[in-house]
Amino acid sequence: MEIVHLRDIIDVEILQEIQDRFSEATGIAAVTVDFRGKPITKYSKFSRFCSLIREVGRCRDACYQSDAHGGLEAARREEPYIYRCHTGLVDFAIPITVNGQYMGSIMAGQAKIEESELNRLDQIVKEVPGWKDKEEIKAAYDEIPVTSYDKIVGAARLMFLVSNYMVEKDMMNLMQEELNTKNLKLMEQVKARAELERALKDTEIKALQSQINPHFLFNVLNTVGRLALIEKAPKTQEIVYALAELLRYILKNIDQMVKLEDEIAHIERYLKIQSVRFGDRIQYVLDIPESIRNITVPAMLLQTLVENAINHGLEPKEEPGTIKIIGYELEEDAVIEIIDDGVGMSKERLHMVQDEHLDMGALSESTGIGINNVNKRLIYHYGSEYKLKIKSKPHGGTKVKVRIPMKISNRRVSHVQSAVGR
């Protein structure tokens, strides 16, 4: 798990409380900064001397340099680093690391120690001359009490243990929360798949079979198997999820009216699966304007038309092909066109496909049956004037035009009433 900010894994309020109590007990000032040096807590027991000296431009810059060098050195050593600042006061930096990643540090100190002990510490920034000439700053410096070096060492070790324990504990809690979330999602997926399996065993599978070509499912499963064999997961997972969503849509919306936007999303999942199956041999374009996406259409209306375009237009074609699903408004209707540049059909075949009175047994392929079913659904919902319009010629591709009235309620009622009257 990649963590970028210390705030993401630590309770800042609790850290502030620990830091304040630490400063009260030890008399040592402290502040916690992230890996960029930006404070995430307020200063605890910041000395008057340090406040005054940071009002002097050159001294303030030296203070910042001292803090930056101290934090980086502590991170490099992966342990507390005790040093002298440019004024000779003792500071220390406590690195906060998690799994080898530097998260930030606790900067503490602003303390004096005995002169005899100073030689053991580095002064990482040169002293800025002149600050001792300012009486107020010099007086504030003299107010700072002398602390033993051992106390500084003990305080640094204590804060190192407390801070890293706290951060690791908070990180474990965060990881546990993420794990719980993933487990919940996994349980939901397992439940959804179980429901899908039960639905597939239901008698409605017969209705499903009339809407979707079983050969398509077998081809998809074969594709999944091949992908699983040659790679370890990403594309396989994508196609399996797309298939699950596709089947869920079909089962949920059998004989229902849905928004065109949902139908297009379903078609896009179908095309995504087919693009994995055929690779570069098939390209697709979806261009449906927002102005017609909210109209309602019979669910699975476009599935058969898109499937026919691929299976009977593009698949037999030797070179790569393209299928386009485009939409636009025409007077009071929304028009959706399914266009392929596939092998096309002869006049005789086109006539057979469009003949709604032809015995279904006379058709050896599923194209005519699928077109016939779509036409019956369009006539039922909108009237005979809304039958499909099909243009095709050998080696010239096929265009199927679907018209849907933008305002269907009145038209649907009048159509039903006229049907009842007959």
Side-chain angles (χ1 to χ4, degrees):
M1 179 179 65
E2 183 177 353
I3 302 294
V4 177
H5 299 293
L6 188 57
R7 286 181 179 274
D8 295 335
I9 61 168
I10 197 167
D11 189 322
V12 176
E13 290 185 3
I14 294 179
L15 178 60
Q16 182 73 60
E17 182 70 18
I18 292 174
Q19 181 183 291
D20 290 343
R21 300 291 81 79
F22 167 82
S23 293
E24 289 176 5
T26 63
I28 296 174
V31 66
T32 303
V33 299
D34 63 17
F35 68 94
R36 296 167 300 188
K38 183 178 179 180
I40 66 169
T41 63
K42 299 176 183 178
Y43 282 97
S44 300
K45 209 173 180 58
F46 203 74
S47 71
R48 189 169 76 94
F49 167 74
C50 289
S51 297
L52 289 172
I53 202 166
R54 292 191 183 209
E55 294 177 1
V56 180
R58 292 178 303 160
C59 294
R60 180 176 60 250
D61 293 341
C63 290
Y64 292 160
Q65 291 177 28
S66 180
D67 288 346
H69 287 312
L72 290 174
E73 183 63 19
R76 188 185 70 81
R77 297 186 179 198
E78 298 183 350
E79 63 180 15
Y81 176 56
I82 305 174
Y83 58 94
R84 288 181 293 162
C85 74
H86 68 98
T87 67
L89 292 182
V90 176
D91 290 330
F92 58 84
I94 307 296
I96 301 174
T97 58
V98 178
N99 296 332
Q101 181 178 356
Y102 175 60
M103 308 299 300
S105 58
I106 297 175
M107 311 300 297
Q110 301 180 2
K112 289 180 182 177
I113 63 172
E114 296 290 344
E115 290 288 336
S116 59
E117 301 282 3
L118 283 176
N119 291 333
R120 68 169 69 188
L121 302 178
D122 300 326
Q123 183 165 350
I124 56 179
V125 176
K126 290 182 179 181
E127 181 177 355
V128 177
W131 65 267
K132 294 180 181 179
D133 298 334
K134 299 181 182 297
E135 292 185 6
E136 186 180 11
I137 296 178
K138 182 63 170 61
Y141 179 82
D142 292 338
E143 292 172 1
I144 300 174
V146 175
T147 302
S148 71
Y149 177 73
D150 290 341
K151 182 177 180 180
I152 295 293
V153 172
R157 289 176 178 172
L158 171 63
M159 186 55 84
F160 180 67
L161 292 173
V162 170
S163 62
N164 278 279
Y165 172 78
M166 179 182 174
V167 171
E168 289 185 7
K169 179 176 176 292
D170 286 345
M171 184 174 178
M172 289 300 295
N173 290 338
L174 181 63
M175 293 176 64
Q176 187 62 48
E177 289 178 5
E178 291 184 355
L179 182 61
N180 291 340
T181 300
K182 290 180 180 179
N183 286 340
L184 286 174
K185 289 182 179 179
L186 179 60
M187 291 174 65
E188 290 174 358
Q189 290 175 0
V190 171
K191 182 180 179 182
R193 289 173 185 172
E195 291 175 353
L196 181 60
E197 289 176 359
R198 288 195 298 269
L200 288 173
K201 294 177 183 178
D202 201 337
T203 55
E204 288 184 343
I205 190 63
K206 294 180 181 179
L208 171 62
Q209 289 173 340
S210 70
Q211 298 291 337
I212 188 166
N213 189 335
H215 294 297
F216 163 66
L217 292 179
F218 295 140
N219 287 331
V220 171
L221 293 176
N222 287 335
T223 303
V224 172
R226 289 196 299 272
L227 286 173
L229 185 64
I230 64 176
E231 68 179 26
K232 296 183 179 180
K235 287 186 178 179
T236 306
Q237 185 180 43
E238 182 180 353
I239 194 174
V240 168
Y241 284 164
L243 176 60
E245 288 298 319
L246 183 144
L247 293 176
R248 189 178 292 111
Y249 177 88
I250 295 170
L251 293 171
K252 179 181 178 182
N253 296 301
I254 289 177
D255 295 330
Q256 300 295 317
M257 300 293 289
V258 299
K259 285 187 177 182
L260 177 60
E261 185 173 27
D262 296 332
E263 183 76 358
I264 293 301
H266 167 70
I267 293 301
E268 190 165 16
R269 286 190 289 267
Y270 173 83
L271 289 170
K272 182 182 292 186
I273 292 173
Q274 290 288 37
S275 68
V276 174
R277 173 188 168 196
F278 288 102
D280 295 336
R281 286 192 57 208
I282 292 181
Q283 303 293 324
Y284 65 87
V285 176
L286 277 167
D287 185 12
I288 307 296
E290 291 292 334
S291 59
I292 66 173
R293 282 178 174 260
N294 282 327
I295 68 170
T296 55
V297 299
M300 300 293 295
L301 181 70
L302 304 179
Q303 165 83 39
T304 301
L305 305 179
V306 173
E307 186 175 356
N308 282 339
I310 291 177
N311 291 344
H312 303 289
L314 299 180
E315 186 172 2
K317 186 178 178 181
E318 293 182 1
E319 59 270 22
T322 301
I323 178 170
K324 299 179 180 179
I325 299 96
I326 61 175
Y328 54 91
E329 291 184 47
L330 181 63
E331 297 177 350
E332 296 183 353
D333 295 335
V335 179
I336 300 111
E337 294 182 351
I338 295 90
I339 307 167
D340 70 74
D341 58 0
V343 296
M345 291 182 282
S346 65
K347 289 184 179 179
E348 294 76 17
R349 179 64 186 172
L350 180 59
H351 176 73
M352 291 179 64
V353 167
Q354 291 180 306
D355 189 352
E356 59 188 273
H357 301 294
L358 187 67
D359 180 8
M360 291 298 100
L363 292 172
S364 60
E365 300 180 43
S366 64
T367 311
I369 299 175
I371 296 295
N372 194 273
N373 284 340
V374 172
N375 265 329
K376 286 180 178 179
R377 296 179 72 194
L378 288 171
I379 293 170
Y380 172 78
H381 284 285
Y382 311 118
S384 58
E385 67 269 32
Y386 282 90
K387 290 194 297 184
L388 297 172
K389 304 294 184 182
I390 306 175
K391 293 183 180 180
S392 185
K393 59 182 179 181
H395 310 294
T398 301
K399 177 193 289 187
V400 180
K401 181 183 291 185
V402 183
R403 284 194 306 133
I404 304 291
M406 298 283 283
K407 298 179 180 179
I408 65 171
S409 55
N410 293 334
R411 187 183 299 272
R412 178 74 180 94
V413 170
S414 62
H415 171 64
V416 172
Q417 288 175 341
S418 62
V420 172
R422 291 196 295 271

